[in-house]
Amino acid sequence: MLGILLGLICLAFLTYKGMSILWVAPVSALVVAAFGGMNLLDAFTGDFMRAFGGYAQSWFPMFMLGAIFGKVMEVTGAAESIAHFLAKLIGYKRAIIAVVVICGVLTYGGVSLFVVVFVMYPMGLALFREANLPRKMLPGAIALGAFAFTMTAFPGTPQLTNVIPATYFGTGPMSAPVIGIICGILMFVLGILWLQYRTKKLQSAGEVFDEPEGETTAGVSNSEDLPKWYLAIIPPLLIIILFNAVKLNIVVALLAGVLSGIIIFIRRIKTFGNVIKTLNDGAAGSMLAILNTAAGVGFGGVIRAVPGFEQLKTLVTGIDASPLISEAIAINVLAGATGSSSGGVSIVLEALGPQFIELAEQSGIALEVFSRVASISAGGLDTLPQCGAVLTVLAVTKLTHKDSYIDIFMCCTVIPISATIVAIILGTLGVV
């Protein structure tokens, strides 16, 4: 268990300092393996690489197509067209709110948060450019919209963090709607207030929008030269409809989005050579994100392999307190240890699901409350620096932990944990 703690500290500290997760994750995993009495070579080539390769195998198609789709939306001006429309609708001064709302709508619509990052980046970049906001605020805005209230709190969200507890407790995705709505609104409002506070602080220090290194200005600044917004919205809307209403696999939905974007805006891409360049650039852009995320997952694979992990599970799932408090702490700790919200909630409920059901009957607290508290709890410590989603949003936006992690931490760790406390209080008072 000491090795797990030291490995987590090593991984969090070095990645926060801007060092590449590609080598930091294996080194940190070897620290865990050494304290766990494992053969270091076997730990790296076996447990680490199995988890690394398994994740890449499962998610590479989605990452690649998501990045290509984002590139198509960028080079055709479609993303900027939507950004201009939303900016006029909401106001350029409210660019942060616009980014959060768009991400929230996509995530609540069932689009994977990783896909949302790729799709939202060019739109967010255009909005921030027009509003002249510091670019380092973009990851926090994307994270708040995609990794917080629509992932865990709002009832009915199809994200895994909401579905898993409903499956274990037999309740359904709409569990405890009043608690979910109150906590979701709380996350949204507090997150927006934090992002606005930080933006004003940076602006007062003289910081403005800066173009990403190695990139040229995306899109066209004159909205009259952009495609119509109602055409630009067709590809992302098609993805949402195919994935949610038609229930197609996300890979198929993304492929349809890419093809529709190319067909609708072929005159803007102009040549076959430009089509190939767009595909090449998008595919290449996905590599760092998938490798960074897979490295974090590989680290989690070694943690799960050491004997101390079973002791950790026993410790955190055996807390003697109110059942809702015990549930929340256990899920938070294990979500932080694995860097995964769905991983944390799955481990705890698999171990203690029957006990929580029994405690619900004894305490008179509805199972729906246990389900909602479990879902909200999973979205707290899961976004520590080694979290795959955190690594992805930073890689895609070409920013570092030092630049932007404080905003992700506040919006997706501190504020959701505060919302968890509110959920426990409301549930104890009988609110459902």
Side-chain angles (χ1 to χ4, degrees):
M1 290 181 64
L2 176 61
I4 292 174
L5 177 62
L6 291 176
L8 285 168
I9 292 173
C10 178
L11 182 67
F13 178 77
L14 293 178
T15 52
Y16 184 80
K17 286 295 184 180
M19 301 180 191
S20 173
I21 189 71
L22 291 177
W23 69 265
V24 168
V27 169
S28 302
L30 292 180
V31 171
V32 176
F35 277 81
M38 299 175 67
N39 179 286
L40 299 187
L41 183 60
D42 290 344
F44 177 65
T45 59
D47 297 294
F48 183 93
M49 289 309 301
R50 272 194 297 273
F52 181 101
Y55 186 87
Q57 180 181 8
S58 298
W59 297 106
F60 175 70
M62 188 196 75
F63 270 77
M64 181 187 67
L65 288 170
I68 290 175
F69 177 72
K71 201 65 181 177
V72 169
M73 293 291 288
E74 177 187 337
V75 300
T76 60
E80 192 169 357
S81 174
I82 296 173
H84 271 286
F85 171 72
L86 290 171
K88 291 177 181 178
L89 190 66
I90 301 176
Y92 284 108
K93 293 183 179 180
R94 300 184 181 89
I96 288 178
I97 296 178
V99 170
V100 174
V101 169
I102 298 169
C103 290
V105 169
L106 291 174
T107 311
Y108 193 79
V111 179
S112 164
L113 57 90
F114 291 101
V115 176
V116 172
V117 172
F118 285 113
V119 173
M120 191 62 229
Y121 173 59
M123 297 186 199
L125 200 64
L127 278 169
F128 272 53
R129 182 184 294 111
E130 291 294 335
N132 198 28
L133 297 178
R135 186 169 57 90
K136 64 176 61 173
M137 295 303 302
L138 184 55
I142 293 175
L144 175 60
F147 308 165
F149 55 94
T150 52
M151 186 182 79
T152 65
F154 280 166
T157 175
Q159 297 300 321
L160 275 176
T161 315
N162 182 53
V163 174
I164 291 171
T167 302
Y168 274 99
F169 290 117
T171 52
M174 291 294 294
S175 301
V178 175
I179 294 177
I181 291 171
I182 290 173
C183 291
I185 293 174
L186 182 66
M187 290 185 208
F188 175 81
V189 172
L190 292 180
I192 292 294
L193 289 175
W194 168 262
L195 293 174
Q196 290 178 335
Y197 160 75
R198 270 270 293 163
T199 300
K200 290 178 181 178
K201 188 174 180 180
L202 292 174
Q203 289 176 325
S204 65
E207 293 202 32
V208 294
F209 182 84
D210 62 302
E211 291 293 341
E213 185 177 352
E215 288 189 14
T216 56
T217 301
V220 184
S221 58
N222 184 357
S223 59
E224 297 300 321
D225 297 328
L226 295 170
K228 300 298 183 182
W229 70 267
Y230 48 82
L231 293 177
I233 204 173
I234 291 176
L237 190 61
L238 180 64
I239 292 175
I240 295 173
I241 293 173
L242 291 179
F243 182 57
N244 290 281
V246 185
K247 305 297 182 183
L248 291 181
N249 184 283
I250 186 60
V251 172
V252 178
L254 281 170
L255 180 59
V258 170
L259 293 176
S260 66
I262 293 173
I263 293 171
I264 292 171
F265 304 116
I266 189 64
R267 291 185 179 180
R268 303 188 67 84
I269 300 177
K270 296 180 180 179
T271 67
F272 179 74
N274 287 339
V275 172
I276 298 301
K277 184 178 185 306
T278 300
L279 298 177
N280 289 345
D281 291 346
S286 70
M287 289 307 299
L288 182 59
I290 184 68
L291 291 177
N292 281 346
T293 308
V297 173
F299 172 78
V302 175
I303 284 184
R304 287 189 292 270
V306 296
F309 184 66
E310 291 302 317
Q311 297 171 357
L312 179 62
K313 282 202 302 182
T314 301
L315 177 66
V316 299
T317 56
I319 298 171
D320 185 18
S322 163
L324 291 178
I325 296 175
S326 177
E327 180 187 48
I329 293 176
I331 291 173
N332 260 290
V333 171
L334 286 170
T338 58
S340 168
S341 57
S342 57
V345 74
S346 296
I347 292 169
V348 172
L349 295 184
E350 189 171 329
L352 279 184
Q355 289 93 322
F356 284 132
I357 292 174
E358 183 178 341
L359 288 170
E361 295 176 355
Q362 294 174 1
S363 64
I365 300 174
L367 275 177
E368 287 78 7
V369 174
F370 277 85
S371 182
R372 182 57 53 205
V373 169
S375 177
I376 297 173
S377 300
L381 292 181
D382 66 313
T383 43
L384 291 177
Q386 79 276 11
C387 170
V390 172
L391 297 172
T392 298
V393 73
L394 292 175
V396 170
T397 56
K398 299 184 178 179
L399 290 160
T400 67
H401 284 77
K402 187 176 181 180
D403 291 324
S404 305
Y405 181 69
I406 182 62
D407 302 309
I408 298 174
F409 180 72
M410 288 298 298
C411 293
C412 300
T413 300
V414 174
I415 293 173
I417 288 176
S418 301
T420 301
I421 296 172
V422 172
I424 291 172
I425 294 172
L426 291 174
T428 304
L429 294 174
V431 177
V432 178

